[in-house]
Amino acid sequence: MAAVGSAVGLGNIWRFPYICGKYGGGAFIIAYLAFVFLLGSVLMMAEFIIGRRSQHTPVLAFRALCPDKKGWGLVGVIGIITSFIILSHYLVLSGWTTGYIWHSVSGALSALGTDADAITAFFSQFTSAVGSPLLFLGIFSVLCLIIILCGVQKGIENISKLLMPLLVILILVLCVRSITLPNAKAGVDYILAPAFSKLTGEGILAALGQALFSLSVGMGVMIVYGSYIPANDNIFKTAMWITVCDTLIALLASLAIFPAVFSCGLDPAGGPGLVFCVLPNVFNSMGGTGVFFSSLFFILLMVAALTSSISLLEALTAWFCEHTGASRKMSAILFFALTSIIGVFISLSMGVLNDFKILGYTIFDLVDRLESIYLPPLCALGTIIFFGWVMPEKDIKDELSNHGSIAINVTYPLLRFLARYIAPLGLLIVLISGILS
Ligand code: PFF
């Protein structure tokens, strides 16, 4: 459940629809599904197995499993850097979500009615300001820190067992409302009728990056979680369960968003603000109950963001403690402080620092690309080559079969084939062609 909490987050509800809209709707979804099941789920099993077998955090895990080839630890280093970047960015987005709880409860969002332009302008004003996004970034970070320092992660896990299904029910309600809006059919067609011409090389790379981001793989976090998996848990089933849940939620989120996008006359390729500009319109079209549904939705989204942020922090903290011997509390505070500081710059790049560009990108866009398009595929490639070609086969079989107590005569050959050939080749081709294009 903790790993589901890590996987299900803003990536499913905020990021998936906006990336999908940018790269062609249905065609993107087909590429995404292929990556999720042929690559993402395989990688998740690989990370779980590496973590549980080694009982170490990313860098030492690679080294421990192959003591004579210590260079593989570098893959873990890329993972840790990626987790750090993602957490910095994630805190900013979670801050927006926290802000939208306040704006829902205070009635500011419902006052905008169903005027799409006013809702879009509200979002731009909110995110490009200096004070309020930083205030909500701070509130969210402190909340995370308190949860971790009080050691109530277990509590959060229990809460998310209750709240995650509630989030799914609420998304279903939104789907129904969205599909029954006037002119919603264009949005359904947009998902179901693939526009392959819009799916460029970069779009395919984005689908891969999104698959990895959404499943929280390709950054070593699942290696850390793997090291916590009890010896008698079935790794294959666990990974498949997480993959299916995560994918269903992303698909449902797009079914809730795109019909409304078309109904409101918005641009499906509208970028990172898509969810924040579309959903208030749907809520406001619900009449008097809109404020309630809107507040509940953003609260649930914040909880989903919380469980994902905690997993990122857990990976960074566990890694730092293992290498330096520092206490968990000190490490958690250190990483929250560092990522929040970077988060401030990411947030300001939506407004006052908008003209500050690195390689032609704002800090926000650069971080977004680094955390999905470039770094995770690289780390994923290293992990899968290590898993398929370097790590002793006996270790893999032992972990997959729980020391011989589960039959693996179908799962093992399949996993081996995907991990040795399909996944690395797919990753290489997409990485090279995406970068070249
Ligand atoms: N999977 C999370 C989401 O979809 O929102 C984001 C994420 C969490 C990525 C944890 C990476 C990670 F290690």
Side-chain angles (χ1 to χ4, degrees), residues 10-326:
L10 298 171
N12 304 61
I13 292 150
W14 161 76
R15 200 163 195 284
F16 181 76
Y18 109 71
I19 300 281
C20 176
K22 189 167 166 194
Y23 294 108
F28 176 90
I29 293 182
I30 293 174
Y32 176 80
L33 289 177
F35 287 133
V36 160
F37 286 98
L38 294 178
L39 267 163
S41 62
V42 173
L43 215 83
M44 190 179 290
M45 284 177 230
E47 292 196 10
F48 281 164
I49 288 175
I50 292 172
R52 190 165 77 173
R53 188 69 182 178
S54 68
Q55 291 295 308
H56 281 297
T57 60
V59 183
L60 291 187
F62 288 98
R63 291 193 191 153
L65 292 175
C66 244
D68 51 335
K69 295 182 182 139
K70 288 209 164 46
W72 284 96
L74 189 63
V75 177
V77 176
I78 301 175
I80 292 297
I81 295 172
T82 314
S83 300
F84 184 87
I85 294 177
I86 295 182
L87 184 57
S88 310
H89 190 203
Y90 217 79
L91 292 177
V92 177
L93 305 164
S94 308
W96 293 357
T97 311
T98 314
Y100 265 58
I101 299 176
W102 167 247
H103 294 312
S104 300
V105 175
S106 72
L109 282 179
S110 65
L112 301 169
T114 49
D115 178 349
D117 291 339
I119 293 174
T120 308
F122 182 89
F123 172 77
S124 313
Q125 263 166 23
F126 169 59
T127 53
S128 61
V130 174
S132 47
L134 293 187
L135 173 72
F136 288 110
L137 163 82
I139 293 176
F140 182 84
S141 302
V142 169
L143 190 66
C144 275
L145 197 56
I146 291 175
I147 289 171
I148 288 182
L149 292 185
C150 296
V152 288
Q153 283 100 314
K154 265 254 161 291
I156 265 285
E157 195 182 341
N158 290 333
I159 291 176
S160 53
K161 271 185 201 165
L162 181 85
L163 294 189
M164 288 288 171
L166 202 60
L167 178 65
V168 174
I169 294 173
L170 200 61
I171 297 176
L172 282 172
V173 172
L174 282 177
C175 285
V176 173
R177 177 67 278 225
S178 180
I179 291 172
T180 50
L181 285 170
N183 202 20
K185 190 175 168 299
V188 179
D189 290 348
Y190 184 74
I191 301 173
L192 297 183
F196 285 104
S197 57
K198 281 202 195 153
L199 193 63
T200 54
E202 188 182 303
I204 294 180
L205 183 56
L208 168 68
Q210 174 61 18
L212 302 180
F213 183 87
S214 190
L215 293 175
S216 304
V217 294
M219 41 223 105
V221 170
M222 291 301 184
I223 294 185
V224 177
Y225 272 25
S227 71
Y228 304 151
I229 296 182
N232 53 353
D233 270 13
N234 184 330
I235 285 186
F236 181 82
K237 274 195 189 155
T238 306
M240 288 321 288
W241 160 248
I242 299 168
T243 307
V244 169
C245 283
D246 188 70
T247 308
L248 280 181
I249 295 185
L251 293 179
L252 279 179
S254 15
L255 206 58
I257 304 250
F258 286 114
V261 168
F262 283 86
S263 173
C264 308
L266 290 167
D267 178 8
L274 194 66
V275 170
F276 292 95
C277 297
V278 173
L279 288 184
N281 223 307
V282 180
F283 292 122
N284 293 346
S285 73
M286 289 176 160
T289 53
V291 171
F292 168 76
F293 278 116
S294 172
S295 312
L296 184 63
F297 174 81
F298 285 112
I299 290 174
L300 296 176
L301 191 56
M302 193 195 73
V303 174
L306 213 57
T307 50
S308 299
S309 306
I310 287 174
S311 74
L312 286 159
L313 187 74
E314 176 61 39
L316 292 168
T317 306
W319 165 78
F320 192 71
C321 291
E322 192 175 37
H323 280 264
T324 63

